[in-house]
Amino acid sequence: MALLNDKSAIITGASSGIGRAAAKVFAREGAKLVITGRRQEALDAVVAEIEGGQAIAVSGDVRDETLQIRLVETALGRFGKLDIAFNNAGGLGEMGPVAGLSLDGWRETIETNLTASFLGAKHQSAAMGEGGGSLIFTSTFVGYTAGMPGMGAYAASKAGLIGLVQVLAAELASRKIRVNALLPGGTDTPAAITNAPDATEELLAFVNGLHALKRMAQPEEIANAALFLASDLSSFVTGTAMLADGGVSISRT
Ligand code: NAP
């Protein structure tokens, strides 16, 4: 039996990396999807890769409240309900020591990683029906179990998500809506610092070595953790910050 049979889900940041992998995993498990990102062509490619499933691409910027409303309306209009939202879009934003961060860079990172998720949660939770639902937010171990130099705005934005998740979980429990944060470790996606144009083999070895498992995750491994949180397998899990981090948080070797 498929884990998300007949469920209706929104996935943000589905044009690439973890969100793209999640779109494929959720669809394979029977979900009907509304996927989003800014790049329409990349979204269309993901839709084309979802064989036999149902997925609709709606492009836009997650910081735009009208997009967030449109995503919910599309799910309700096309699939009749909304059961799951994986609020995953985000990025590192401006990097560097806090003393050198620009205010614009700080705001841009907070808007993309935190404020956009607030907007998503606001409209998604309002649209979820009597059957309850699952809201998932992609956070990170950075700013939760580890302080990484140069990631001040990113860490603050992602740690803010964990606070938002705790409040939402308490507010929405009576409506059977579970709310959780997913905290990946280093994951081999286009956004990873190891895939930056100036990344070296030494950097890759360093990042791999930070993890107890001595490697980064593949996007599908994080998508599988999202599947757990989206499905009834996690029926007693709410308000958590769930690490799927290859042991980067506990490794000292
Ligand atoms: P990715 O491959 O670069 O994917 C990022 C996704 O977010 C893309 O689909 C991108 O779509 C979308 N996005 C970014 N800004 C957006 C905006 N303003 N409006 C709409 N969509 C936007 O990176 P990823 O590694 O899969 O990242 C997914 C999430 O995991 C992020 O929240 C990231 O912070 C988090 N994370 C990643 C790692 C890692 O090591 N990779 C570790 C921990 C947490 P468009 O480019 O089409 O707009």
Side-chain angles (χ1 to χ4, degrees):
M1 172 76 168
L3 288 171
L4 302 180
N5 214 14
D6 229 23
K7 300 281 190 193
S8 161
I10 291 169
I11 302 178
T12 74
S15 54
S16 176
I18 292 167
R20 176 172 172 268
K24 293 190 199 173
V25 167
F26 283 23
R28 186 197 68 209
E29 294 296 331
K32 300 166 183 170
L33 303 176
V34 179
I35 64 171
T36 194
R38 287 164 298 188
R39 290 169 295 144
Q40 182 71 46
E41 266 184 33
L43 292 172
D44 289 342
V46 176
V47 169
E49 287 170 18
I50 294 176
E51 287 171 30
Q54 278 181 281
I56 301 162
V58 179
S59 61
D61 192 314
V62 286
R63 294 170 290 183
D64 176 359
E65 188 167 12
T66 61
L67 171 76
Q68 298 286 358
I69 294 168
R70 201 145 49 89
L71 295 173
V72 166
E73 285 178 345
T74 304
L76 295 180
R78 295 290 288 271
F79 306 136
K81 59 179 182 154
L82 178 66
D83 303 299
I84 297 159
F86 183 23
N87 292 287
N88 163 76
L92 289 169
E94 189 175 318
M95 304 269 283
V98 170
L101 276 187
S102 71
L103 181 57
D104 282 351
W106 169 272
R107 284 185 171 141
E108 202 265 337
T109 307
I110 299 288
E111 290 270 307
T112 303
N113 292 347
L114 181 57
T115 310
S117 286
F118 148 68
L119 292 172
K122 175 175 170 163
H123 295 289
Q124 294 153 7
S125 61
M128 285 178 167
E130 292 303 304
S134 173
L135 295 174
I136 306 157
F137 299 83
T138 307
S139 178
T140 174
F141 70 97
V142 179
Y144 184 68
T145 59
M148 305 284 272
M151 295 188 169
Y154 181 70
S157 67
K158 294 293 192 177
L161 277 180
I162 296 172
L164 177 66
V165 157
Q166 292 183 359
V167 171
L168 284 168
E171 286 182 354
L172 300 173
S174 62
R175 291 176 52 211
K176 300 195 196 82
I177 299 172
R178 297 181 298 101
V179 189
N180 292 287
L182 174 57
L183 281 55
T187 306
D188 185 15
T189 70
I193 49 169
T194 49
N195 285 324
D198 57 350
T200 59
E201 283 299 314
E202 288 72 28
L203 177 69
L204 179 61
F206 172 74
V207 173
N208 282 338
L210 291 174
H211 299 74
L213 295 179
K214 300 301 172 205
R215 66 175 179 86
M216 295 171 74
Q218 289 305 305
E220 293 72 22
E221 295 179 282
I222 307 304
N224 284 336
L227 171 63
F228 168 73
L229 291 174
S231 76
D232 289 343
L233 287 179
S234 60
S235 54
F236 204 56
V237 181
T238 196
T240 60
M242 193 182 93
L243 290 162
D245 74 347
V248 72
S249 298
I250 52 86
S251 181
R252 297 290 181 277
T253 58

